[in-house]
Amino acid sequence: GENVEQHPSTLSVQEGDSAVIKCTYSDSASNYFPWYKQELGKRPQLIIDIRSNVGEKKDQRIAVTLNKTAKHFSLHITETQPEDSAVYFCAASKPGGSYIPTFGRGTSLIVHP
Amino acid sequence: ETGVTQSPTHLIKTRGQQVTLRCSSQSGHNTVSWYQQALGQGPQFIFQYYREEENGRGNFPPRFSGLQFPNYSSELNVNALELDDSALYLCASSSTAGDDTQYFGPGTRLTVL
C-alpha cells in the first residue's frame, strides 16, 4: 500500500520567516495530495491541495509543489504568523474508487512572535 | 464550519466494553470515512462507507465495524475495547459527485481504562 513520509516532525520559526514541510510517497499511481492543518483539540482542516496534473499551486501565503518524478511534494508558508502554529499533515491518494488518503505523521509548526 | 458533526464529544469506557460513535455527514455528501488518530500521530484509515456499503478498509481488526444509513450518516462500533483503542476518532465526509475532498468532523475522544 501507499506509504507517506513527512519531515520534519517539528519546525520552529520566527514570525515573518518562511516554513517548508516535505513529504514523500511510495505509490506512483497516487494523484491527489491534500494538506491539512490541525490546531490543538480541533479537527483537521483542509488548507490546500494539488493534483498530479499541476506542479504548483498557491493560495495567498500558502503554496504546494509537486514533483511526480521524485515522488515528493512540499508545503510552503511565507510570512509566518503565530496563528499558523499547528500540526500540519500531508496525505496522498490514488484514483480507482473512492478517495482513501494515506496521511503522513504530521509536522508541529511553532511560530514565535 | 464544514457541517460534519460527531457524537459524543468525549467517552470513557473500560476494557472489554463496546462503544458506538456517530457521524452526520455534510449536506450533499454521500461518502463517510472513519479514522483513528492516536496522540501525536496522523489519522489512520479504518474504513469508508458509500451507499450503505463498506467501500474500503484499513488495517483494523473485525471488532471495528460500521454502518451507513440512507441519510448518509454513519456509526462506528468497536467491540471488546482494548487500552490501545484510546484515541481521537474522526469521521470525514465527501462526495463522489464532487472532487472527493474530505471534510472532517470534530472527532470523538475515546478513553479506555
Side-chain angles (χ1 to χ4, degrees), chain A residues 21-95:
Chain A
I21 302 170
K22 298 181 179 181
C23 289
T24 60
Y25 60 99
S26 61
D27 193 334
S28 57
S30 290
N31 69 342
Y32 176 61
F33 308 92
W35 286 88
Y36 288 85
K37 174 184 180 182
Q38 188 175 29
E39 297 177 42
L40 192 62
K42 295 190 176 182
R43 74 188 77 189
Q45 297 265 21
L46 178 72
I47 55 171
I48 195 167
D49 56 15
I50 192 167
R51 296 185 186 270
S52 60
N53 56 344
V54 297
E56 183 176 5
K57 183 176 177 180
K58 287 184 180 179
D59 182 3
Q60 300 182 336
R61 297 187 296 109
I62 294 173
V64 57
T65 58
L66 172 64
N67 183 327
K68 280 194 66 69
T69 303
K71 290 189 283 189
H72 67 71
F73 55 113
S74 300
L75 177 70
H76 305 253
I77 305 174
T78 58
E79 300 172 27
T80 54
Q81 301 167 3
E83 51 265 40
D84 294 330
S85 297
V87 179
Y88 291 80
F89 293 99
C90 63
S93 72
K94 56 186 178 182

Side-chain angles (χ1 to χ4, degrees), chain B residues 7-44:
Chain B
S7 63
T9 305
H10 297 89
L11 204 52
I12 300 175
K13 292 284 188 178
T14 56
R15 275 188 305 173
Q17 285 189 311
Q18 178 267 341
V19 67
T20 297
L21 310 181
R22 295 177 175 83
C23 171
S24 291
S25 60
Q26 182 169 314
S27 177
H29 286 183
N30 56 10
T31 302
V32 173
S33 303
W34 285 92
Y35 296 85
Q36 181 193 68
Q37 186 178 25
L39 204 58
Q41 304 288 324
Q44 296 293 313

